[in-house]
Amino acid sequence: MVKKWNITIPELTGTKTRRAYLYLPDYYDDTPEERYPVLYMFDGHNVFFDSDATYGKSWGMKEFMDESRIPLVIAAVECNHSPDHGRLKEYSPYTFRDSKFGQIPGWGRITMEWLIHKFKPEIDSTVRTLPGREHTFIAGSSMGGLMSLYALLEYNRYFSKAAALSPSLWVDPERLSHLIRHARLHPDTTLYMDYGSQELHNHANMIRSFGRITSLLLERQIYVSCRIIPGGTHCEASWERQIPFFMETFLYDLG
């Protein structure tokens, strides 16, 4: 089942509401003694329902979870749809300038501070979660993929695993590289990261950046599951096909 409700993020958009989503296994009410890991996801409107998705196609996470019966809770929040590049601002850890978008201030830290200190406690207080780091994951695609990687590194004390699908490594690869080198990491840190073969040329030097970032992650002894998706593109339909791969990465050592 997926519950929807409206929330505000005063630190980012004042009193303007956006939708939050919570997936609970169908058997949640039948197992009152059971507690569950939690996966937090960006772009919540694109996660579960085609009717809510920006381009009319979601990740189909509800169908996957219902069919697989994986004991996992998923919490997701809609992005900022402001035409003034609201999503880019909230999902960028760094201020950057782009020839297409102009100057974009990085509000990613504000986004993460809200998620960790406001949204996560709300989920943990209302749902039977396993709230510790070992059972707390994060995932997203594109700018949400960049934020998932950033969250795993900068907020490693809260997240043990992340999935970064088609991450926007082009935003500021030098600062991201610095973060990877200097982040304080637990030894069990795990990352799934992929890129579609058909999107590798969307940004200059993406192949080089992807290889360089992956090498740095491995040097930090992060458990990296890294893939180039044959024929993969930059869209929800392509990311949906990768769900079994990152879910296996998340759950392989949890029994």
Side-chain angles (χ1 to χ4, degrees), residues 18 36 47 102 106 131 179:
R18 66 181 80 184
Y36 299 88
V47 173
L179 176 59

Side-chain angles (χ1 to χ4, degrees), residues 158-222:
Y158 298 103
F159 302 100
S160 61
K161 299 175 184 178
L165 284 68
S166 305
S168 299
L169 304 178
W170 53 269
V171 165
D172 195 331
E174 293 306 317
R175 292 184 68 178
L176 180 59
S177 297
H178 183 272
L179 176 59
I180 295 170
R181 292 190 182 100
H182 298 284
R184 299 179 64 180
L185 303 174
H186 289 249
D188 63 342
T189 299
T190 301
L191 173 69
Y192 171 93
M193 185 168 67
D194 69 22
Y195 226 85
S197 66
Q198 298 301 310
E199 58 176 334
L200 282 172
H201 301 288
N202 289 354
H203 297 279
N205 300 315
M206 179 51 68
I207 295 176
R208 183 182 303 170
S209 293
F210 190 79
R212 180 185 178 193
I213 293 298
T214 301
S215 295
L216 289 174
L217 292 165
L218 290 171
E219 288 176 13
R220 289 302 313 273
Q221 300 184 31
I222 293 174

Side-chain angles (χ1 to χ4, degrees), residues 25-246:
D26 286 340
Y27 47 85
Y28 179 85
D29 290 334
D30 298 329
T31 56
E33 74 290 346
E34 193 77 20
R35 305 188 76 86
Y36 299 88
V38 183
L39 168 60
Y40 292 90
M41 295 189 69
F42 295 100
D43 291 309
H45 55 292
N46 290 335
V47 173
F48 298 108
F49 302 111
D50 292 352
S51 57
D52 291 350
T54 301
Y55 301 108
K57 177 68 185 80
S58 72
W59 288 45
M61 285 294 296
K62 181 182 184 302
E63 289 75 12
F64 175 85
M65 295 299 295
D66 285 348
E67 292 175 8
S68 65
R69 297 184 64 81
I70 293 172
L72 181 73
V73 167
I74 301 175
V77 177
E78 185 178 7
C79 78
N80 183 342
H81 296 288
S82 168
D84 186 29
H85 307 307
R87 180 176 178 273
L88 288 178
K89 293 174 182 177
E90 291 188 3
Y91 285 2
S92 179
Y94 312 115
T95 296
F96 69 97
R97 173 170 288 278
D98 181 81
S99 59
K100 179 179 179 181
F101 304 115
Q103 183 83 2
I104 302 295
W107 295 350
R109 178 174 289 276
I110 300 174
T111 299
M112 287 308 306
E113 290 289 328
W114 172 83
L115 189 150
I116 290 168
H117 298 297
K118 300 288 182 63
F119 188 58
K120 184 180 185 302
E122 178 182 349
I123 298 300
D124 289 336
S125 66
T126 57
V127 181
R128 298 194 310 273
T129 67
L130 293 165
R133 175 186 174 277
E134 179 184 359
H135 297 97
T136 305
F137 318 139
I138 193 162
S141 61
S142 192
M143 291 297 290
L146 174 64
M147 282 291 287
S148 298
L149 177 55
Y150 168 71
L152 184 69
L153 298 167
E154 183 69 22
Y155 296 91
N156 193 253
R157 61 193 181 278
Y158 298 103
F159 302 100
S160 61
K161 299 175 184 178
L165 284 68
S166 305
S168 299
L169 304 178
W170 53 269
V171 165
D172 195 331
E174 293 306 317
R175 292 184 68 178
L176 180 59
S177 297
H178 183 272
L179 176 59
I180 295 170
R181 292 190 182 100
H182 298 284
R184 299 179 64 180
L185 303 174
H186 289 249
D188 63 342
T189 299
T190 301
L191 173 69
Y192 171 93
M193 185 168 67
D194 69 22
Y195 226 85
S197 66
Q198 298 301 310
E199 58 176 334
L200 282 172
H201 301 288
N202 289 354
H203 297 279
N205 300 315
M206 179 51 68
I207 295 176
R208 183 182 303 170
S209 293
F210 190 79
R212 180 185 178 193
I213 293 298
T214 301
S215 295
L216 289 174
L217 292 165
L218 290 171
E219 288 176 13
R220 289 302 313 273
Q221 300 184 31
I222 293 174
Y223 298 136
V224 181
S225 176
C226 182
R227 302 171 65 232
I228 299 296
I229 312 303
T233 58
H234 200 83
C235 68
E236 279 70 24
S238 185
W239 297 324
E240 179 181 12
R241 295 176 65 183
Q242 314 319 316
I243 294 173
F245 296 95
F246 73 74

